[in-house]
Amino acid sequence: MRGLIWNCRGVGKKGMATCLSDLISDHSLDFLGLQETMKKDFSSKCLRRIDPFNLFKWIWVPSEGKSGGIMCGLRQDTLEVVT
């Protein structure tokens, strides 16, 4: 199992979606955890740019103001989300 946890300081920055997508595919990641996303919500378009083949289940905690926010992606064929 391979994963990445990163304090990215803003998912909305130019080129970040491509960077994340490349990291997922280049390293065959099973999970991805992002801190300091600085976003309240993620559109399906944004998630498609990060995960074009819809391999991951995405869960997030919205940011408060201009800081915070956590996002986690789990590869659906490898890991299971239990709530």
Side-chain angles (χ1 to χ4, degrees), residues 2-13:
R2 293 176 182 218
L4 172 71
I5 298 174
W6 183 16
N7 185 354
C8 66
R9 296 289 300 147
V11 168
K13 292 187 278 189

Side-chain angles (χ1 to χ4, degrees), residues 8-47:
C8 66
R9 296 289 300 147
V11 168
K13 292 187 278 189
K14 185 177 180 178
M16 183 61 81
T18 304
C19 176
L20 293 172
S21 180
D22 290 347
L23 282 169
I24 289 169
S25 64
D26 291 351
H27 298 285
S28 302
L29 297 180
D30 295 307
F31 68 90
L32 176 66
L34 300 174
Q35 301 174 107
E36 297 290 330
T37 61
M38 297 185 198
K39 288 184 73 87
K40 290 188 184 299
D41 197 15
F42 291 88
S43 67
S44 58
K45 181 180 177 181
C46 176
L47 295 176

Side-chain angles (χ1 to χ4, degrees), residues 45-68:
K45 181 180 177 181
C46 176
L47 295 176
R48 250 190 338 272
R49 285 196 317 257
I50 296 169
D51 179 19
F53 301 110
N54 198 30
L55 299 174
F56 285 70
K57 169 72 175 169
W58 297 99
I59 303 166
W60 60 87
V61 175
S63 67
E64 294 183 18
K66 289 266 189 186
S67 64

